[in-house]
Amino acid sequence: MTPVGSLVTAYVSGLALGLTMILPIGPQNLFVLTQGLRAGLRGALLAVVTTGLCDTVLIVSGAAGLSAVLNGLPWLRGVLLAVGVLFLFHLGVATLREPLPVDGRLQGPAPGEGAAARDEPAGRGTPGPLPTGAVVARAIGVSWGNPHAILDTVAILGGLIASQPVASRLPFAAGAVSASWLFFLTLAAAGSIFRARMTPRWMRVTQWISGAVMILFGLGFAVEALRELM
């Protein structure tokens, strides 16, 4: 195989592995999708960039040697699980309690508008996007507050990158990083497409689902942390 062919193969392999690891639904993916539903593709780009950068840092850190550190410190897994439980519970509850602004209102339709107003397409009653700081904070929280994301991305993916031949490490890592960015951008675009068909009522349902998923993941990590201690 030619040198160029080897580089392309390494890149495609990293891309395929990255997509395989990021495809399962989780708090991070759901957050980006929800941002696309709330604010459209342009409004969700901040979430895409933040989550993409978070994944990039984890992948590069793992390839640079952090994977060996994680694998050599078994107790660190329990710490990450405990921190993840706190982060995801906090983000989940905050998402559930967050008012959903529609046409400048924090609650449902004004008195007398009835159920029809709640079922207007989102194009007429568009939920306002989250403030910039909240988007960045939540994107970091669902990215670095998820212990499985850290363990999978740093320990497994980073370790696999580090185990590649020297000439293949950079394109393999580039493929893995590309997978995160492409997938997040696709999620935001998908949310943006469906946004025009969403009613305020369904936006609220989506918000509840997002918050509930974060809390459920937190509960799962709590159970896992308890097993680590037993």
Side-chain angles (χ1 to χ4, degrees):
M1 184 178 294
T2 65
V4 174
S6 298
L7 295 178
V8 171
T9 299
Y11 176 84
V12 173
S13 298
L15 178 66
L17 180 61
L19 288 173
T20 300
M21 297 185 69
I22 201 173
L23 276 176
I25 191 66
Q28 190 184 43
N29 296 345
L30 193 56
F31 174 74
V32 175
L33 177 63
T34 302
Q35 288 307 296
L37 289 170
R38 288 182 65 107
L41 179 57
R42 181 176 297 181
L45 285 180
L46 181 59
V48 172
V49 170
T50 306
T51 51
L53 287 175
C54 286
D55 271 17
T56 300
V57 169
L58 292 178
I59 292 171
V60 172
S61 298
L66 188 57
S67 58
V69 174
L70 286 179
N71 291 327
L73 298 173
W75 57 267
L76 192 56
R77 176 182 175 85
V79 173
L80 290 174
L81 286 171
V83 172
V85 169
L86 296 177
F87 261 115
L88 291 176
F89 271 143
H90 171 73
L91 291 175
V93 171
T95 300
L96 290 176
R97 297 180 61 184
E98 180 181 275
L100 188 64
V102 179
D103 288 340
R105 298 190 298 267
L106 292 181
Q107 303 298 331
E113 289 184 352
R118 290 192 297 268
D119 291 329
E120 287 180 345
R124 294 183 60 190
T126 305
L130 289 172
T132 299
V135 173
V136 173
R138 293 191 186 188
I140 293 174
V142 296
S143 299
W144 290 350
N146 184 342
H148 277 186
I150 295 177
L151 293 170
D152 291 347
T153 306
V154 175
I156 299 177
L157 187 54
L160 287 172
I161 294 172
S163 68
Q164 298 296 309
V166 175
S168 299
R169 288 177 188 172
L170 183 59
F172 192 95
V177 169
S178 298
S180 292
W181 286 83
L182 288 173
F183 189 65
F184 293 145
L185 188 59
T186 301
L187 284 175
S192 176
I193 291 172
F194 284 103
R195 181 172 182 256
R197 298 175 175 84
M198 294 290 285
T199 65
R201 174 181 290 173
W202 280 108
M203 284 301 303
R204 171 61 76 183
V205 171
T206 302
Q207 182 172 306
W208 285 340
I209 292 174
S210 179
V213 167
M214 292 181 192
I215 292 175
L216 287 174
F217 268 84
L219 287 172
F221 295 149
V223 172
E224 196 169 339
L226 290 175
R227 288 176 178 171
E228 292 280 335
L229 296 175
M230 295 175 63

